[in-house]
Amino acid sequence: MAADVDRIGIAQTAEGTLVLRLAGPWVLGETIPAPETVERALAERPQAQRLAFDTKALGEWDTTVITFLKRVSKVAESKGLQQDRTGLPHGIQKLLGLAEAVPVKEDARRGGVEGGFLHRVGLATVEASTGIGETLAFIGESTVTLGRAFTGKMAYRRTDLALLLQQSGVDALPIVTLVNFLLGLILAFVGAVQLQQFGAEIYVANLVGIAMVRDMSALMTGIIMAGRSGAAFAAEIGSMNSNQELDALQTTGISPMEFLVLPRVWALVVMMPLLVLYANLVGILGGLVVGLGMLDLSWTAYWQQTTDAVSMTHLVSGLVKGLVYGLLVAVAGCMRGMQAGRSALAVGAAATSAVVTGIVWIIVACGVFQFMSFVLGI
Amino acid sequence: MAFGSFVVMRNLDFSIRKGEVFVIMGGSGCGKSTLLKHLIGLIEPAQGEIFYGERNFTQAQADVRAEILRGVGVLYQTGALWSSMTLEENVALALEQYTDLAATEIREIAALKLSLVGLGGFEDYYPSEISGGMQKRAGLARAMALDPSILCIDEPSAGLDPISSKRLDDLILELCDSLGTTFVVVTHELQSIFDIASDSVFLDAVSRTMIARGNPKELRDHSDDPRVRQFLNRQPDMGGRAAS
C-alpha cells in the first residue's frame, strides 16, 4: 500500500494557483487519503484562489481516485476555490462530470430515528393501533365475504379448493400422527407414575381419553397447522402480493378475499375437525401403548375405560375447538400474507408473523373455551 | 448449450475484445440470457470451454473461478437487488467482503457508485421503495462496486422508459470510454444495439446457432443473411417469407 505522501503532493504557483499532484497507483484496496492534507495546505496558503491538478505521475487508477477527488472538491467548494480540472486525465474528468451530473437529492436522505423513549413508545402505540385496525378490517371483510359465500356465486376455483383440502388435510397426516401419538404417550407416562402410587393405573385411560378428546388434540393440531398451513398461506399470498398478482386479480374484477382467502379458510375449517378426530384416536393409541406395555392392562379394559370416561360432550367440544382453531389459523395466515410488503424480507416476516399470530389466537381462544366450559359446567 | 437432451445453441465460437461493448442479440427466447449465464458460470456448457484471457473458466477450480468472477460485474434483468439491504449496503457488500477498506471509505465509494448512476441521496432506501428504473440503475452501481474489468448486462432497456433507457446506454458508453470496462450486453432493443455496440453476435432460435458476427450497423446494411437484415431493419415476416 503506497504511503499518502508518495501519492499526493501540493505546490503553489506564483499566480496563486494551488496544484494538487497525484502519483502512483490509485486502485481499489488502497487507502483513500483524507482531505485534511489539502485543507492544511489551504490554511497555510490563504491567498490561493484556484485548484489545479497534475497527474503526470499518476499510475493505474479506478474509481478510488474519483472518490478522493470528490472529497477534495468538497473542501475546495467550502473554501471558495475555483477548480481547474484540465490537468486530470480525460476519463477522470468524464467520471467526475458523471458523478456530478445529477445533483444529490438531499431531500431524499433520511435522518436517524428522532426523539427518545416517549417518542418510541408513541410510535409503537400508533403502530399497534394501526395493526389492530387492520386486523379488525380484515376480519370484517372476511366475515362479509364468508356471508356472501352462502348466498351467491364465489370467484374461487373448485380445483384450488380441492388442492388446499389435500394440502391442509391429507398431507398433514404424518406430522399430526407423530405429534399426537407422542402426546398421548407422554400424558399416559406422567399419569401412570402418579396413579400407580394409589393402585389406580386404569384411570390412565380416563386421563388420556378426556385430555386428548376434549382439548389436547385440537390444541396440538391447531399449533401444527399454524406452523404448517398458516405460514404457507402467508408466504404464498405475500409472494403473490410482491409480484402484483393481487393487483392483477383486483383489476380483473376478482376479489382476492373470494379467490384466495375464502378457499383457504374453507379448507382449514373443513379439515381441522377431521384432523382432530383422527388425532383423538392416535392420542388414545399412544396412551394404550403405555397401558399395555407398562401397566399390564388389557386392551379391552383400556378401551372400555376410555369409552366410559369420554362423553359425547367432550367429543363435540373438541371438534368445535378444532374448527375454531382452524378458522383462526387460516385467517391469521391469509391476513399476514395480504398485509405483507413487496420484498423477500417482507414475505419472510409475514410467514413468521402468521405463525405467531395463529398460535397466540389459539391460546387465547383456548382460555376463552376453558372459561366457558367452567361457567356452563361442561 | 443444452438442458438435458434439449440443445439450445450449438457451435458458438467468438471472442470479445477488451474495452469494447459487445452485444449478444437475437429474437425473444433464442437463448441470449442463457448464453450470458454460461459466460458467468451460472450454467455449465454441455460441451466446449469459456476463456477469460488465457484462463480456462470452464475447467477452473472453484477458487480460481471466484477470482475470475471478482473481475466481472453483472446487472440482472430485474436488478436483483437484495431486498433486505439498503442501496448503500447492496453496493458495499462486495467491498466489505473483498477489500480491507475502512467503513467510512466503503460508504463513500458506495455513495460515489450510486451518484455515478444518478442515485445520490438514495443510499438509505430499500429496493422496494424505489422505481423499477431506479432499481436497475442501483443494480448497475452494485455491479460496478469492485470496478470490474468486465460488466455483463442482461436486457438493460427492459422495463425502462425511452429516456431512462437512453441514459443507461450513455452511461455504458461513458464507463467504457473512461474506465476501459468491457461490456457484454444482452438485448434485442435495436436502438440500444446501434447506439452502444461496437461488435455483436446474432443468435438464431431456429437454426440454434450464431448466424452473424460483427458491427450491428454493418450487419444491418451488408449482412449476407436475410434473417439478420430482417431483424436489424425491423421488418416483420411477410406471409412466412423472410425479407430479402
Side-chain angles (χ1 to χ4, degrees), chain A residues 160-234:
Chain A
D160 288 348
L161 180 61
L163 190 66
L164 285 163
L165 284 169
Q166 185 199 324
Q167 286 170 345
S168 316
V170 182
D171 293 354
L173 283 178
I175 184 75
V176 169
T177 308
L178 179 72
V179 171
N180 284 286
F181 180 79
L182 289 176
L183 187 65
L185 207 76
I186 292 162
L187 279 174
F189 264 123
V190 174
V193 171
Q194 301 303 317
L195 292 169
Q196 260 180 334
Q197 296 175 35
F198 308 101
E201 294 92 336
I202 189 67
Y203 288 101
V204 166
N206 296 48
L207 173 70
V208 174
I210 294 174
M212 291 304 295
V213 173
R214 187 173 176 269
D215 275 307
M216 296 310 289
S217 293
L219 191 65
M220 286 314 295
T221 309
I223 290 172
I224 292 167
M225 297 316 279
R228 203 179 168 279
S229 301
F233 292 171

Side-chain angles (χ1 to χ4, degrees), chain A residues 120-296:
Chain A
R120 288 200 298 276
V121 170
L123 283 178
T125 311
V126 170
E127 202 174 313
S129 62
T130 312
I132 291 169
E134 284 176 355
T135 304
L136 290 175
F138 185 87
I139 291 171
E141 201 180 341
S142 48
T143 308
V144 170
T145 309
L146 209 59
R148 272 208 309 268
F150 292 106
T151 55
K153 188 173 174 286
M154 286 287 105
Y156 67 81
R157 299 184 308 169
R158 288 184 182 190
T159 47
D160 288 348
L161 180 61
L163 190 66
L164 285 163
L165 284 169
Q166 185 199 324
Q167 286 170 345
S168 316
V170 182
D171 293 354
L173 283 178
I175 184 75
V176 169
T177 308
L178 179 72
V179 171
N180 284 286
F181 180 79
L182 289 176
L183 187 65
L185 207 76
I186 292 162
L187 279 174
F189 264 123
V190 174
V193 171
Q194 301 303 317
L195 292 169
Q196 260 180 334
Q197 296 175 35
F198 308 101
E201 294 92 336
I202 189 67
Y203 288 101
V204 166
N206 296 48
L207 173 70
V208 174
I210 294 174
M212 291 304 295
V213 173
R214 187 173 176 269
D215 275 307
M216 296 310 289
S217 293
L219 191 65
M220 286 314 295
T221 309
I223 290 172
I224 292 167
M225 297 316 279
R228 203 179 168 279
S229 301
F233 292 171
E236 194 180 350
I237 297 176
S239 302
M240 291 179 77
N241 193 21
S242 66
N243 290 338
Q244 292 190 298
E245 291 171 49
L246 299 190
D247 296 347
L249 276 175
Q250 231 149 8
T251 47
T252 315
I254 297 170
S255 157
M257 292 297 285
E258 285 181 22
F259 194 77
L260 297 172
V261 177
L262 200 63
R264 281 163 178 77
V265 172
W266 273 135
L268 273 191
V269 163
V270 170
M271 293 317 290
M272 265 298 281
L274 297 175
L275 285 172
V276 169
L277 198 62
Y278 172 74
N280 289 341
L281 291 170
V282 174
I284 290 168
L285 189 68
L288 180 68
V289 168
V290 173
L292 297 180
M294 191 175 151
L295 304 174
D296 292 330

Side-chain angles (χ1 to χ4, degrees), chain A residues 63 71 94 105 108-109, chain B residues 108 113 123 125 147 174 177:
Chain A
T63 50
R71 282 177 171 185
K94 284 191 95 169
K105 284 203 178 357
R109 282 197 205 283
Chain B
E108 266 187 69
K113 298 287 156 81
E123 291 86 354
Y125 279 63
D147 282 323
E174 291 271 5
D177 182 35

